[in-house]
Amino acid sequence: MAQLTGFSNSKVSLAQSAPLPKKLDEGLVERLSQRITRLGNRELKTVISPFSGEVLDHIPLCTADDVREAARKAKAAQKTWAAWSFKARGDVFRRFHDLVLERQHEVLDLIQLEAGKARRDAFYEVMDVAVNARYYAYNAAKHLKPRRRRGVIPFLTQTWEYRQPKGVVGIIAAWNFPFIFAVSDAIPALMAGNAVIFKPDPETSFTALWAADLLYEAGLPADLYQVITGEGPELGPPLIENVDFIAFTGSTNTGRIIARQAADRLIGNLLELGGKNAKIIFADAPLERAVASALRGCFNGAGQICMSSERLFVESKIFDRFVRLFSERTRQLKLSTSLNYEFVVGSLISKQHLETVKAHVQDAVAKGAKVLAGGRHRPDIGPFFYEPTILTDVDKTMEVFAEETFGPVVSVYRFDSVDEVLKRVNDSPYGLNASIWTKDLKFARELATRIQAGTVNINDAYPATWGSVDSPLGGFKNSGLGVRHGADGIRQYTEAQTIATQHYHGVAAPAGFSEKRFSQIMTFALKILKHIPGLR
Ligand code: NAD
């Protein structure tokens, strides 16, 4: 909805060390309210702060008409934008990169308040957005510039591959990375010459609006990036109906719905979905580093990160030592609601999600699992806080065994052989991320190629692959379709177009040649071409 994003000079100025505000910055909300008025008083949805359980503010529930209007404006704006050079588009994102870093305290507060994250986790979002802005500002042209291709007849056919923007790209995303999902997929889409309409999760719309504001401040032309706020089942269908590509990040169930609707329209789609990620720790792993990384890999974002590890396989020889240290350190993790860097584990997003996490642990314990650390709801800190939790003796009968918990809960298993652990790691309908810990890097790289996951981190949890934005990132199996990052991450937002110019004579018998003679000459030519490097 263009109306929501057209405002400028937004100042979200929550003091970094201030006590937790119950409401969002009035300036931002006031501007938002004006837009709502202009929309004709849309129904409002109450947004709850996960830190306090109190009302944070309200967002308008956009309608299908709002989506159509946003698409109409986006389409018009895209035509001019597509004619901009890569250099001019890149200048917008170079300025955006600098603004994000300069004004990070504003968005850090906003992310914490909306998503209930620790500040450290919010800062990872700032880094990701800056890295993607920098990468595509400087590398989009390399990935998309017209390329000379080999012609059908050497020297006589001049063939070029062009990349044309799709038009309008729709993005629908989950709440767990409100800033990243608002911008990091939009950047390659915009750099490729498209307009973007973004539908955030209703829990985290304000960060998206702030991001829109900053994009316009960086010089993005009006209407090119629009935010529609509201519920997925209402806004998803009209959005897919009116865009030329849909990128989705969220649960596998919703991903299937999106894919079906995209198939009906024959539009491309990117699906970044759920996971049940495994970490393998071999006996020769550097123990201290492996434990420190397991703490981050399992409990960053209170476990609400698609690439978090929920299954930990530890070689029997070090199982007891590893588990003792991991449990001790887990119990020491500090939970809090303050807007500073003093704590490392934040809240779950909502009461509903808290219930899912509690149910997974209760089900496991009822069926015989042991709790080595955590396992308790912590309303004394905030209404949806849940302790980082380690389980052992988990088996197939328990929900937590194969289903994604998407919370701070990890099951630890022992293993004795490589073949055995590989089989257990791959025995999952998901294939998003994996991690291997060992000193034997050659062995680890070979093992990694046998793991069915889109990313495998050796001696790291997930930042090594996630932050390597020159390389693709996506899921195998039920974890998704398509990739973000790298060349593929921007080319997917384009149509491939081949333009070939034929000089002299084309692929047909010249005048005076019989078709039979022509076929004999061509057969001879094809045999020769196979032997000429550069032409085969
Ligand atoms: P979800 O699928 O319920 O919601 C995600 C988004 O889709 C929200 O904006 C929601 O409003 C919208 N939506 C819901 N129903 C819709 C419908 N019928 N049509 C159109 N849009 C609809 O996801 P969630 O459970 O809130 O998020 C957590 C999930 O996201 C986890 O499974 C997690 O692993 C996954 N995730 C994956 C990645 C990745 O990169 N692979 C990243 C983050 C989260």
Side-chain angles (χ1 to χ4, degrees):
M1 183 169 55
Q3 295 90 330
L4 278 177
T5 61
F7 57 85
S8 59
N9 304 321
S10 156
K11 295 269 183 299
V12 186
S13 50
L14 302 170
Q16 200 168 319
S17 55
L20 174 65
K22 290 194 180 132
K23 291 244 169 202
L24 289 170
D25 172 73
E26 278 177 17
L28 175 67
V29 175
E30 197 183 296
R31 267 184 294 278
L32 186 57
S33 306
Q34 284 165 12
R35 309 288 160 187
I36 299 164
T37 315
R38 230 193 290 160
L39 274 171
N41 293 326
R42 291 283 172 270
E43 200 184 319
L44 296 183
K45 182 184 168 87
T46 304
V47 182
I48 302 290
S49 170
F51 276 165
S52 63
E54 291 177 28
V55 175
L56 189 62
D57 231 296
H58 302 84
I59 53 152
L61 292 175
C62 293
T63 63
D65 279 346
D66 296 332
V67 177
R68 283 188 276 273
E69 177 62 4
R72 189 188 62 74
K73 290 188 169 179
K75 223 165 254 170
Q78 187 267 335
K79 290 204 165 42
T80 318
W81 175 245
W84 283 38
S85 66
F86 283 113
K87 156 87 176 58
R89 286 185 218 152
D91 284 344
V92 172
F93 289 102
R94 280 181 277 272
R95 280 192 295 272
F96 180 71
H97 168 276
D98 295 348
L99 284 171
V100 167
L101 294 180
E102 275 163 30
R103 305 255 296 275
Q104 57 175 282
H105 61 281
E106 300 173 12
V107 76
L108 289 173
D109 288 348
L110 208 45
I111 295 169
Q112 283 201 271
L113 288 171
E114 277 199 318
K117 285 189 180 200
R119 201 165 191 83
R120 178 181 80 173
D121 295 327
F123 181 69
Y124 290 142
E125 297 209 46
V126 167
M127 283 203 297
D128 182 88
V129 168
V131 166
N132 276 285
R134 183 192 70 208
Y135 177 74
Y136 284 114
Y138 287 102
N139 291 285
K142 182 180 84 184
H143 296 318
L144 299 183
K145 67 178 186 216
R147 278 188 165 67
R148 185 82 191 255
R149 296 295 186 191
R150 201 166 296 159
V152 56
I153 305 179
F155 312 114
L156 297 188
T157 317
Q158 267 179 2
T159 303
W160 288 82
E161 176 193 332
Y162 285 79
R163 290 281 165 171
Q164 308 292 4
K166 291 266 182 190
V168 180
V169 170
I171 302 178
I172 300 177
W175 41 265
N176 62 323
F177 285 116
F179 192 34
I180 290 179
F181 295 151
V183 195
S184 289
D185 290 326
I187 291 169
L190 288 163
M191 277 303 300
N194 300 285
V196 168
I197 303 177
F198 177 53
K199 195 213 84 62
D201 190 281
E203 311 286 350
T204 53
S205 307
F206 291 105
T207 304
L209 291 167
W210 186 89
D213 215 29
L214 209 67
L215 282 168
Y216 288 118
E217 194 175 326
L220 194 73
D223 296 335
L224 264 181
Y225 175 90
Q226 308 192 45
V227 180
I228 49 165
T229 56
E231 303 291 354
E234 278 71 45
L235 300 184
L239 184 62
I240 294 168
E241 200 54 48
N242 285 282
V243 293
D244 306 294
F245 185 95
I246 185 80
F248 172 76
T249 303
S251 64
T252 298
N253 283 345
T254 311
R256 289 188 206 282
I257 296 172
I258 303 273
R260 277 195 284 270
Q261 292 169 1
D264 273 349
R265 287 211 53 231
L266 291 179
I267 60 169
N269 49 89
L270 163 68
L271 304 174
E272 298 285 0
L273 311 176
K276 189 76 186 174
N277 309 308
K279 189 187 284 291
I280 311 174
I281 298 165
F282 287 96
D284 69 338
L287 196 67
E288 283 286 338
R289 266 184 69 204
V291 168
S293 171
L295 291 169
R296 290 193 296 273
C298 300
F299 305 129
N300 273 9
Q304 302 161 110
I305 295 180
C306 51
M307 296 171 87
S308 291
S309 309
E310 295 193 1
R311 299 184 294 154
L312 222 69
F313 296 91
V314 184
E315 196 167 355
S316 285
K317 283 181 224 162
I318 57 155
F319 185 88
D320 292 340
R321 222 156 28 104
F322 178 89
V323 163
R324 197 177 321 112
L325 197 57
F326 182 44
S327 304
E328 262 170 42
R329 300 274 164 88
T330 297
R331 284 186 218 106
Q332 289 162 7
L333 292 173
K334 194 172 162 202
L335 289 71
S336 169
T337 61
S338 51
L339 300 184
N340 57 38
Y341 284 100
E342 282 166 16
F343 72 105
V344 293
V345 181
S347 175
L348 294 174
I349 186 72
S350 63
K351 181 166 177 0
Q352 191 194 0
H353 195 45
L354 169 72
E355 293 308 325
T356 306
V357 173
K358 274 163 66 178
H360 271 203
V361 176
Q362 278 161 7
D363 170 73
V365 171
K367 290 173 181 161
K370 287 198 186 71
V371 178
L372 297 183
R376 288 182 310 165
H377 174 208
R378 292 295 299 272
D380 53 315
I381 295 169
F384 316 136
F385 273 77
Y386 196 86
E387 286 177 345
T389 299
I390 304 174
L391 301 176
T392 53
D393 299 339
V394 169
D395 66 37
K396 276 191 174 181
T397 63
M398 305 170 190
E399 283 172 358
V400 82
F401 180 83
E403 279 178 36
E404 185 186 36
T405 306
F406 211 54
V409 180
V410 61
S411 308
V412 192
Y413 307 91
R414 63 173 80 225
F415 74 88
D416 292 300
S417 81
V418 175
D419 285 346
E420 172 212 340
V421 76
L422 186 64
K423 192 159 173 281
R424 290 165 72 188
V425 164
N426 285 339
D427 181 20
S428 168
Y430 295 109
L432 193 60
N433 181 45
S435 161
I436 300 172
W437 280 85
T438 173
K439 287 201 184 97
D440 188 344
L441 302 184
K442 186 164 176 285
F443 158 74
R445 278 193 285 268
E446 194 277 325
L447 179 65
T449 62
R450 295 160 65 201
I451 292 180
Q452 295 161 356
T455 52
V456 183
N457 294 268
I458 297 169
N459 294 344
D460 197 11
Y462 55 81
T465 52
W466 184 10
S468 300
V469 296
D470 193 34
S471 198
L473 182 113
F476 287 15
K477 302 193 273 188
N478 289 354
S479 290
L481 207 59
V483 292
R484 46 170 61 111
H485 292 175
D488 295 338
I490 188 165
R491 287 192 184 142
Q492 69 188 329
Y493 296 120
T494 64
E495 299 282 3
Q497 182 182 44
T498 295
I499 299 180
T501 308
Q502 190 59 46
H503 299 283
Y504 182 58
H505 205 283
V507 186
F513 273 60
S514 69
E515 292 295 341
K516 186 172 178 194
R517 181 81 184 120
F518 172 70
S519 70
Q520 286 166 341
I521 292 170
M522 286 311 290
T523 302
F524 177 73
L526 289 170
K527 285 181 178 170
I528 299 279
L529 282 174
K530 191 183 158 206
H531 298 285
I532 306 177
L535 291 183
R536 56 194 175 199

